[in-house]
């Protein structure tokens, strides 16, 4: 993927503040952080998003994220950590190379994730749950 910005970061063609690297996963600081220490964990191989990433590799990414998140929390004195993945334009994905956000959070930092509403009609959630269940393989 010659045009992919994260592939360029992985190859060292674009500089980044790296905080972790192994043979499969690279973690570096986000250039436009929500809070200082906001990092991105990416597979070294290009996959468009998490849904396209092989299961074993996704598992390895999560293991790295857990380790890195603990270090970020300590060093930034974060009160909480969001671990988030945007998959697809509609979900807010802007770089189409799979990545996991690790975001230090503070009680009064003012960021909001998503609100929630009661949008199911009577019995609707049970039907939907059954449909999703039958699609899982
Ligand atoms: P997304 O919106 O796709 O979930 O997240 C992409 C993230 O990549 C954004 O938070 C954005 O700030 C970060 N980003 C985009 N370009 C660069 C870059 O060149 N270097 C670094 N370090 N982060 C980048
Ligand atoms: Zn890429």
């Amino acid at each position: 993927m010659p045009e992919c910005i994260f592939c360029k970061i992985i190859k060292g063609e674009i500089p980044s503040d790296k905080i972790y690297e192994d043979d499969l996963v690279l973690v570096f600081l986000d250039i436009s952080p929500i809070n200082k220490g906001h990092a991105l964990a990416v597979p070294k191989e290009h996959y468009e998003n998490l849904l396209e990433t092989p299961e074993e590799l996704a598992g390895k990414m999560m293991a790295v994220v857990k380790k890195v998140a603990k270090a970020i929390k300590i060093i930034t004195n974060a009160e909480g950590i969001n671990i988030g993945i945007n998959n697809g334009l509609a979900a807010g994905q802007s770089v189409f190379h799979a990545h996991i956000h690790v975001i230090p959070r503070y009680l009064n930092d003012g960021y909001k994730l998503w609100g929630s509403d009661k949008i199911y009609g009577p019995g609707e959630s049970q039907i939907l749950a059954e449909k999703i269940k039958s699609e899982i393989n």
Side-chain angles (χ1 to χ4, degrees), residues 60-131:
K60 294 219 160 107
M61 287 172 70
M62 193 49 81
V64 168
V65 160
K66 192 176 163 196
K67 194 167 14 192
V68 164
K70 283 185 184 175
I72 290 174
K73 186 166 187 287
I74 290 168
I75 295 300
T76 62
N77 291 314
E79 294 168 301
I81 296 273
N82 282 128
I83 293 170
I85 310 172
N86 301 328
N87 297 286
L89 193 62
Q93 186 175 8
S94 61
V95 176
F96 292 88
H97 179 128
H99 55 280
I100 304 178
H101 292 262
V102 182
I103 307 172
R105 295 295 307 273
Y106 303 89
L107 282 173
N108 296 313
D109 66 15
Y111 287 101
K112 290 213 166 61
L113 284 177
W114 44 72
S116 60
D117 255 322
K118 293 203 162 43
I119 58 172
Y120 289 120
E124 195 183 345
S125 61
Q126 288 92 327
I127 293 167
L128 183 59
E130 286 305 323
K131 278 189 184 165

Side-chain angles (χ1 to χ4, degrees), residues 1 4-8 10 43-47 96-98:
M1 272 287 159
C4 172
I5 198 141
F6 288 175
C7 282
K8 286 183 178 168
I10 290 158
K44 286 190 169 173
E45 203 167 327
H46 182 95
Y47 295 99
F96 292 88
H97 179 128

